[in-house]
Structure formats: C-alpha cells, structure tokens
Amino acid sequence: MSGAGLQDFYCREAQRLGYVARSAFKLLQMQKQFKLIGAGDSVLDLGCAPGAWLQVACQSLGPLEKGGAVVGVDLKKVNVPSHHCDSRVKTVCADVMNLRMVQARAFSPQEMHQERRCPQLKG
C-alpha cells in the first residue's frame, strides 16, 4: 500500500540500518550476486547523491588495512555519510563533464594517497 507520507519497508529498513537511502539495497543485492567490488578496489560513483552507494561501496572494500578508495562525484555537495563510511571515501562537488584531465587525476587513489589534503576533495 502506498500513499503520500507513508514509507515503505525498504525506506524504514534503510533508516534502521543507517543508510541514507533505500537505494543501498540495490547495490547490496548486486554485490551479493555479482561481487562487483572487492577488497582494496577503487570505486568511482558518478551522481553519488545522497550517498547510499558510497556507504555500500566502502563496506565492500573490506577492512581499512586492505586499502581501496571510493570517490563520489555529484553536481550537488554531498557530505560523506558518517555511518558505514571511513577515510577511504571522498566526495567531489563538480560536473564530471567539465573536469579537466589534471583535476580528474587528482581524484585517483594514487594521487589521493600521495597528496592527502586536496582542497577540492571533501571527506
């Protein structure tokens, strides 16, 4: 049953589990079925608002010591969700179609590890 102001099961479940949106369950299902993200991988999330996929991607990287990185890009400013995310998650407020090659390279995990403080990255 749907209606204005009523939340479905997945909305309530997302809130209960600390996800910022019900869309987290889509990536959780894909991850379970296809194992898209492995320990230590690098993930680029284009159109990352509101951040639920950032949360699942970070969880899928495994323990912090395994490494890896998640970079989210969106036209809107997106704060890294505090639940399910760690220091490997960064967000960029930008139009990906207008990023220059030098700017895009600055978002790579290798560059992020070499230059820990990039003013364009928020995390």
Side-chain angles (χ1 to χ4, degrees), residues 54-87:
L54 296 173
Q55 293 176 297
V56 176
C58 186
Q59 283 179 285
S60 301
L61 294 178
L64 191 58
E65 52 274 2
K66 292 280 188 182
V70 180
V71 175
V73 181
D74 202 287
L75 291 171
K76 297 180 342 174
K77 184 177 189 287
V78 176
N79 293 318
V80 174
S82 59
H83 202 71
H84 301 296
C85 290
D86 57 37
S87 61

Side-chain angles (χ1 to χ4, degrees), residues 9-86:
F9 168 79
Y10 289 104
C11 286
R12 290 189 306 274
E13 192 66 1
Q15 286 178 344
R16 186 181 74 76
L17 295 174
Y19 294 110
V20 295
R22 68 193 301 270
S23 59
F25 296 111
K26 295 175 185 178
L27 186 54
L28 285 167
Q29 181 61 37
M30 287 187 283
Q31 181 65 13
K32 181 179 176 182
Q33 188 171 354
F34 300 110
K35 310 248 185 291
L36 300 171
I37 303 167
D41 281 354
S42 298
V43 179
L44 176 62
D45 183 356
L46 301 177
C48 67
W53 284 35
L54 296 173
Q55 293 176 297
V56 176
C58 186
Q59 283 179 285
S60 301
L61 294 178
L64 191 58
E65 52 274 2
K66 292 280 188 182
V70 180
V71 175
V73 181
D74 202 287
L75 291 171
K76 297 180 342 174
K77 184 177 189 287
V78 176
N79 293 318
V80 174
S82 59
H83 202 71
H84 301 296
C85 290
D86 57 37

Side-chain angles (χ1 to χ4, degrees), residues 95-107:
D95 180 346
V96 71
M97 299 304 289
N98 292 328
L99 286 178
R100 299 189 187 285
M101 184 62 72
V102 175
Q103 292 170 305
R105 282 196 181 122
F107 306 142

